[in-house]
Amino acid sequence: MTKGNINVSVENIFPLIKKFLYSDHEIFLRELISNATDATLKLKHLSSVGDAKVEYGNPQIEVKVDKKGKKLHIIDQGLGMTAEEVEKYINQIAFSGAEEFLDKYKDSAKDSGIIGHFGLGFYSAFMVAEKVEIITKSFTDAPAAHWTCDGSPEFSLEAHDKTDRGTEIILHIAEDSTEFLEESKIRGLLLKYNKFMPIPIKFGTKEINDPDFTPKTTKDKDGKETTEPHKKITVDNIINNPNPAWTKQPTDLKDEDYKAFYHELYPMQFEEPLFNIHLNVDYPFNLTGILYFPKLGQDMNIQKDKIQLYQNQVYVTDNVEGIVPEFLTMLRGVIDSPDIPLNVSRSYLQADGAVKKISSYITRKVADKLKSLFNNNRDDFEAKWNDIKIVIEYGMLSEEKFFEKSGDFALYPTVDGAYYTYDELFNKIKANQTDKDGKLVILYASDKDAQHSYIDSAKAKGYEVLLLDSPIVSHLMQKLESTKENITFSRVDADHVDNLIKKDDTKISKLTDEQKAELETVLKEIIPSEKFMVQLEPMDSDASPFMITQPEFMRRMKEMQATGGGGMFGMGNFPEMYNLVVNTNSELVNEILETKTKKKQERLINQSLDLARLSQGLLKGEELTNFIKRSYEMIK
């Protein structure tokens, strides 16, 4: 038996490991199972090249909870270690890594999360254990070894009678960590961190129907059939899937395989994904994965089912900002790259050159897939547009390279259900919707029902009206106006349609300048100036007498501020102001002007104003109640 002191200058390193390495102690299980997996895969490699004269077989990793004995066992059938290797890898190398860690991070270690970076994975066990044992037998003929350490710098190393190849780690769970003796807790951690590890992980046993047993059916004297119960057998409960879909070639997978894997990733998701993107690259970095477009609709909220990041099938995090472009964090799925360090801080990841290349690659791959889906089945792509547009529009705003590629698949739907790419839209409307100054005016609505009368007026002129209703569309229009030449977006209710697209044929007013001045005075006496700016316009005689509009600029700035941006204009502090466009060629307006009775004049103005407000959804509460009562009185 050997006794000795671990080669480390710090008097007691274990409390430091426990305190600083991770704020989340549960990570220890991931580290120990990762080590067991590495040992098994190394044996597989040595066996395949002929260096290990042993049968690889079908090894597995076993996790056992001994609640009564307050122990947790992690057992593998991998490479194993000799006593000399235990001395080297556990006592020397790991602790030189520990010293380096403490020198570098003694002041800021708490948030660094870098066990693996310094070879300290095994020592994460001391975050939950008061004593740790290693019983290990090398694949060579060397005798087994038994290492024990109670959380002080002292250890013991002696021979052991273990005869089967592999390593068993025994954690004597500390009093403040007894939650890790609960089977439900360990099962949850295995499913979180090790669900797709490449080696089968056994956790207990389960009963299944015996596949070799065929139940017999017999009949009694009355002809009633009875079938004997199924014979049950007990088998190992393998908790993980060692061969998940992303490790396979796309040619080996069908649509149903991708959907099945989606539900394996997110068991509580009952809706099917719209489509998937299979990532597979080995230069200039290694990356595999599958991304899914879920049905998003108008929802930009951060969802609970996020993209999961793996390193060689070991779960790392679902906080993928900086690795995945921000606009794609609304997607779901898996990204696996050995080039992403297993235990690093967020700032380290975001500054890492390989990570930045990965982000650019994913952006390009997603754009190429969207273009391919659009070209291969445009009808299907159009049908899914409302569920994917938030991601695409956000990408157009936040990633310049994605914006450049988006012209091939970004769609602009009309209120009539037609879908155009930008170039198709431009070519369709440029002849009819270019104003007298040569600017192309793209009309849009955000609510077909609320803006129905305005849409009707525009369509009567032969104009196309887009339906743009996503929460970030105001930002997108600003982007398009600044990158496309000589265009502007105007919502159909921003003004009378003749003012939105001004042509050379100016309308003549039926009223003289004196009559217009008189009408303006009458209107301003009754219409509240703090809410409405009266604007007299000569329009078609059959157009609405009163029309409420809100200037495009002011409304758009308010919308942009509501979804982030536009704050510099301070629009949130402005009162709601509207233009009241009064049609000087309307018969009703003419009647208002000629009415000699003040009371009747006031009634006609208020009724016309309330009808205009009603059409814009601005008449509510007591004012709406009074309007309805007044309207009934007029019918009588």
Side-chain angles (χ1 to χ4, degrees):
M1 176 177 175
T2 303
K3 286 199 170 193
N5 272 23
I6 292 164
N7 180 26
V8 63
S9 58
V10 179
E11 177 57 34
N12 194 338
I13 196 168
F14 296 104
L16 291 170
I17 288 174
K18 191 163 188 170
K19 183 176 179 183
F20 287 123
L21 282 185
Y22 281 106
S23 54
D24 194 353
H25 287 181
E26 67 182 31
I27 215 84
F28 81 92
L29 192 59
R30 182 190 79 177
E31 297 293 329
L32 296 179
I33 290 181
S34 295
N35 289 347
T37 302
D38 285 346
T40 310
L41 292 175
K42 282 174 184 170
L43 182 75
K44 184 179 184 180
H45 175 71
L46 292 176
S47 180
S48 68
V49 298
D51 286 359
K53 295 176 174 54
V54 289
E55 195 67 39
Y56 178 68
N58 297 298
Q60 62 184 27
I61 296 164
E62 183 176 8
V63 178
K64 291 196 299 190
V65 176
D66 174 5
K67 191 170 183 178
K68 191 174 179 184
K70 295 186 178 180
K71 290 183 285 189
L72 184 66
H73 301 251
I74 295 100
I75 307 160
D76 70 59
Q77 297 160 5
L79 210 58
M81 289 182 284
T82 64
E84 290 75 20
E85 286 169 333
V86 171
E87 175 76 40
K88 179 180 177 182
Y89 294 116
I90 301 299
N91 295 341
Q92 293 172 19
I93 291 180
F95 267 89
S96 64
E99 283 193 286
E100 185 186 348
F101 168 81
L102 288 169
D103 286 345
K104 190 167 184 181
Y105 288 99
K106 58 190 173 192
D107 296 324
S108 60
K110 192 169 184 184
D111 300 316
S112 59
I114 49 169
I115 281 184
H117 190 63
F118 285 91
L120 288 171
F122 165 72
Y123 281 98
S124 63
F126 284 96
M127 292 192 294
V128 300
E130 60 189 14
K131 183 169 86 170
V132 179
E133 297 178 68
I134 303 173
I135 301 170
T136 184
K137 168 76 174 72
S138 169
F139 70 96
T140 65
D141 294 332
H146 183 190
W147 179 92
T148 307
C149 182
D150 64 359
S152 71
E154 296 179 357
F155 70 90
S156 66
L157 181 61
E158 57 189 333
H160 194 274
D161 58 5
K162 177 178 169 70
T163 55
D164 52 328
R165 175 194 78 218
T167 300
E168 178 175 4
I169 309 287
I170 305 168
L171 308 186
H172 296 258
I173 300 297
E175 285 301 323
D176 62 357
S177 299
T178 53
E179 62 187 293
F180 298 109
L181 292 170
E182 300 296 333
E183 288 204 359
S184 59
K185 176 72 173 178
I186 299 300
R187 183 182 295 106
L189 294 181
L190 291 172
L191 289 172
K192 178 177 179 179
Y193 292 110
N194 308 106
K195 191 174 182 178
F196 300 111
M197 293 288 275
I199 305 299
I201 299 169
K202 176 187 173 185
F203 187 60
T205 58
K206 61 182 178 181
E207 279 196 340
I208 62 167
N209 291 332
D210 185 349
D212 299 324
F213 175 74
T214 306
K216 290 179 183 175
T217 301
T218 54
K219 287 185 181 179
D220 62 15
K221 59 182 180 178
D222 299 323
K224 187 179 178 183
E225 290 188 347
T226 304
T227 303
E228 66 178 318
H230 249 290
K231 184 181 175 185
K232 300 280 187 182
I233 57 170
T234 301
V235 295
D236 290 349
N237 179 37
I238 302 300
I239 204 163
N240 62 321
N241 173 4
N243 301 296
W246 83 80
T247 63
K248 301 172 184 175
Q249 290 299 314
T251 49
D252 297 334
L253 297 166
K254 298 175 182 165
D255 275 352
E256 51 264 37
D257 297 320
Y258 284 112
K259 286 176 181 174
F261 180 60
Y262 180 76
H263 293 298
E264 192 177 349
L265 276 176
Y266 309 111
M268 300 309 293
Q269 268 299 333
F270 303 110
E271 273 194 321
E272 298 291 351
L274 296 168
F275 50 82
N276 64 268
I277 298 170
H278 198 131
L279 307 168
N280 196 343
V281 64
D282 53 19
Y283 182 82
F285 46 80
N286 286 296
L287 177 99
T288 53
I290 301 170
L291 296 180
Y292 292 93
F293 270 75
K295 283 188 177 182
L296 287 174
Q298 304 285 69
D299 187 13
M300 281 190 73
N301 294 328
I302 299 300
Q303 56 207 352
K304 61 180 174 58
D305 294 324
K306 300 178 185 176
I307 294 170
Q308 298 174 13
L309 180 66
Y310 287 76
Q311 189 224 56
N312 289 328
Q313 294 175 239
V314 181
Y315 175 83
V316 179
T317 182
D318 63 3
N319 180 5
V320 293
E321 288 172 24
I323 301 153
V324 173
E326 190 179 356
F327 77 101
L328 293 178
T329 57
M330 290 184 277
L331 302 189
R332 295 179 183 142
V334 164
I335 290 168
D336 189 335
S337 175
D339 294 331
I340 294 174
L342 189 59
N343 298 300
V344 290
S345 64
R346 300 304 311 157
S347 57
Y348 180 95
L349 264 185
Q350 287 161 355
D352 187 74
V355 168
K356 287 179 179 173
K357 287 178 186 169
I358 287 170
S359 180
S360 298
Y361 165 76
I362 293 170
T363 299
R364 188 175 74 250
K365 185 76 175 177
V366 168
D368 291 345
K369 176 70 172 185
L370 290 167
K371 180 181 177 180
S372 163
L373 288 166
F374 176 76
N375 290 339
N376 293 341
N377 190 342
R378 179 165 178 162
D379 288 345
D380 184 58
F381 193 85
E382 288 178 359
K384 290 171 177 170
W385 178 251
N386 272 340
D387 287 310
I388 63 175
K389 66 186 177 189
I390 285 283
V391 176
I392 293 172
E393 289 172 355
Y394 192 13
M396 290 167 73
L397 282 168
S398 58
E399 295 284 333
E400 202 55 43
K401 284 193 165 55
F402 188 81
F403 179 77
E404 289 164 14
K405 287 174 171 281
S406 68
D408 293 325
F409 51 79
L411 293 177
Y412 300 86
T414 71
V415 290
D416 298 317
Y419 290 83
Y420 300 108
T421 63
Y422 180 82
D423 286 344
E424 290 167 349
L425 177 70
F426 181 87
N427 291 327
K428 183 167 178 60
I429 68 173
K430 66 179 176 181
N432 199 25
Q433 290 182 218
T434 301
D435 68 13
K436 63 185 177 65
D437 299 319
K439 180 163 274 195
L440 180 69
V441 182
I442 302 172
L443 299 177
Y444 73 99
S446 59
D447 187 320
K448 274 202 301 187
D449 293 331
Q451 293 146 20
H452 184 270
S453 63
Y454 300 89
I455 294 168
D456 257 10
S457 299
K459 286 169 71 176
K461 300 274 185 184
Y463 297 152
E464 282 286 356
V465 181
L466 300 182
L467 181 61
L468 303 178
D469 58 0
S470 82
I472 56 173
V473 78
S474 297
H475 297 272
L476 184 60
M477 288 185 295
Q478 293 287 111
K479 171 88 172 174
L480 290 164
E481 286 169 346
S482 65
T483 52
K484 307 289 184 185
E485 198 173 333
N486 219 14
I487 69 155
T488 187
F489 283 82
S490 289
R491 206 167 85 176
V492 284
D493 59 348
D495 206 334
H496 185 264
V497 70
D498 290 340
N499 289 336
L500 293 176
I501 306 178
K502 289 188 174 178
K503 303 288 187 177
D504 287 326
D505 50 337
T506 321
K507 290 269 188 310
I508 307 297
S509 176
K510 292 179 181 178
L511 301 182
T512 66
D513 289 346
E514 291 80 10
Q515 286 174 310
K516 283 194 276 186
E518 185 186 344
L519 176 64
E520 195 166 10
T521 302
V522 169
L523 292 169
K524 286 184 175 178
E525 284 176 0
I526 296 164
I527 291 164
S529 60
E530 70 275 8
K531 289 184 181 177
F532 299 101
M533 191 176 290
V534 175
Q535 186 179 316
L536 304 184
E537 295 277 356
M539 297 186 280
D540 294 336
S541 57
D542 59 352
S544 297
F546 282 27
M547 181 186 291
I548 291 173
T549 65
Q550 190 173 31
E552 177 74 19
F553 172 80
M554 183 176 285
R555 196 206 59 257
R556 200 190 293 184
M557 288 305 112
K558 276 180 168 290
E559 288 172 358
M560 287 172 68
Q561 190 181 46
T563 53
M568 61 183 284
F569 298 102
M571 291 296 146
N573 304 321
F574 278 33
E576 285 285 358
M577 279 292 292
Y578 296 92
N579 291 337
L580 178 64
V581 182
V582 178
N583 182 3
T584 60
N585 291 337
S586 160
E587 284 184 28
L588 179 59
V589 172
N590 197 46
E591 187 183 340
I592 289 169
L593 184 60
E594 291 179 357
T595 298
K596 303 303 179 195
T597 315
K598 275 279 181 197
K599 198 170 181 183
K600 184 181 178 186
Q601 203 173 46
E602 189 176 331
R603 192 172 74 246
L604 287 173
I605 291 170
N606 281 329
Q607 193 70 5
S608 301
L609 175 62
D610 282 354
L611 282 166
R613 292 169 74 198
L614 191 66
S615 73
Q616 277 280 52
L618 297 173
L619 199 61
K620 294 170 184 172
E622 186 180 353
E623 290 178 320
L624 178 59
T625 304
N626 292 338
F627 167 76
I628 293 168
K629 283 180 184 175
R630 191 169 69 242
S631 300
Y632 278 129
E633 289 299 321
M634 290 172 72
I635 292 170
K636 284 189 219 171

